[in-house]
Amino acid sequence: MTTPLLWPVAQNVLPVSGRPESFPVRRVYCVGRNYLDHIREMQEGSERDDPFFFQKPADAVVPDGSAIPYPPQTDDLQFEGELVVAIGAAGSGISPQDAPGHIFGLAAGIDLTRRDRQRDCRDMARPWEAGKSFDHSAPCGLILPVEEAPSTLDGELRLSVNGRQHQHTSLKLMIWNVPEIISHLSHSYRLMPGDLIYTGTPAGVAAVHPGDRIRVEITGLPALTVTISEGDARASQ
């Protein structure tokens, strides 16, 4: 008799501020090029292109306080501080006017990027997975229920490394605001509770190294702090 293979069930969960329940992560969507200054910084795209999206695996999400191993296959690991939207109600073909009703909460996040691999993918017209969708690449802070964060979408984002500020923006400077992002995405995918949307990064991205401490602060939200640790040499073998 053949013994069936039993695969472990793994699901990342994030804590929710002030609540006993956690937020089980289903999918992770990321918006590309959603701040004009970052588009100019990277010399990519037009100033009002339609938003485009890429995904990271759900188990790339790591919580506040994590030590993140420096990943293999890169010499240019960069941070991108972002507002994260946690979806709490299912929907497809959502209008911008109805989009706020699908938001469960908000959090601070970081889209970690193997920039050299991303550029290789771009130059070879290949998907971005090698640059974006690797282990531990989606740090996300404590989720604050949206009704407790009324001023966040008009607030500011700051990212610092070892206490030195690198990114600072108003969330009002997004090319596509949060309701528009949700609407656009929902016309391609049915959004479900457990989905996270990383809403894009402003200018100021730069490389980090083992020992660096990255902190993201967004108006009205719990801060997110992670540390880059030494990578596992076995991962590159």
Side-chain angles (χ1 to χ4, degrees):
M1 179 178 178
T2 302
T3 302
L5 292 174
L6 298 177
W7 298 102
V9 177
Q11 186 174 47
N12 275 18
V13 295
L14 289 168
V16 178
S17 178
R19 297 192 182 179
E21 71 268 26
S22 298
F23 184 87
V25 179
R26 173 180 175 265
R27 291 184 182 174
V28 180
Y29 299 98
C30 303
V31 183
R33 302 173 192 157
N34 199 29
Y35 287 86
L36 180 56
D37 57 358
H38 183 57
I39 290 175
R40 292 172 175 170
E41 174 183 51
M42 304 304 291
Q43 299 180 352
E44 296 175 344
S46 299
E47 296 185 2
R48 186 69 176 176
D49 285 342
D50 284 344
F52 71 92
F53 302 90
F54 57 92
Q55 293 189 41
K56 292 176 181 268
D59 63 1
V61 175
V62 294
D64 177 53
S66 294
I68 297 173
Y70 195 94
Q73 306 292 318
T74 187
D75 294 312
D76 191 9
L77 177 67
Q78 296 194 4
F79 56 77
E80 298 186 3
E82 309 198 8
L83 173 71
V84 179
V85 177
I87 297 297
S92 58
I94 301 166
S95 70
Q97 293 74 25
D98 292 338
H102 293 263
I103 300 173
F104 170 77
L106 303 168
I110 304 170
D111 168 13
L112 287 172
T113 301
R114 295 191 285 205
R115 191 71 70 196
D116 43 3
R117 299 288 74 80
Q118 183 192 19
R119 289 181 175 129
D120 290 345
C121 293
R122 179 196 63 192
D123 293 345
M124 292 185 285
R126 292 179 177 176
W128 278 8
E129 275 84 353
K132 291 287 192 178
S133 303
F134 51 94
D135 296 342
H136 315 106
S137 62
C140 186
L142 189 70
I143 296 174
L144 187 68
V146 67
E147 61 270 18
E148 299 176 28
S151 63
T152 294
L153 297 182
D154 293 326
E156 297 186 341
L157 178 152
R158 290 180 172 84
L159 182 146
S160 62
V161 179
N162 302 326
R164 178 185 174 191
Q165 182 172 286
H166 286 263
Q167 293 185 287
H168 179 205
T169 193
S170 167
L171 297 176
K172 295 187 216 178
L173 296 178
M174 288 183 185
I175 297 171
W176 299 95
N177 63 33
V178 167
E180 290 172 329
I181 289 168
I182 292 171
S183 178
H184 273 280
L185 184 59
S186 74
H187 282 78
S188 296
Y189 304 94
R190 179 171 175 79
L191 298 180
M192 297 292 292
D195 291 344
L196 297 177
I197 305 174
Y198 285 61
T199 58
T201 197
V205 300
V208 287
H209 306 90
D212 285 344
R213 181 173 179 268
I214 310 171
R215 182 175 177 86
V216 181
E217 298 174 284
I218 297 178
T219 302
L221 299 182
L224 166 64
T225 303
V226 297
T227 302
I228 306 299
S229 64
E230 294 288 346
D232 185 348
R234 295 171 298 177
S236 61
Q237 295 177 355

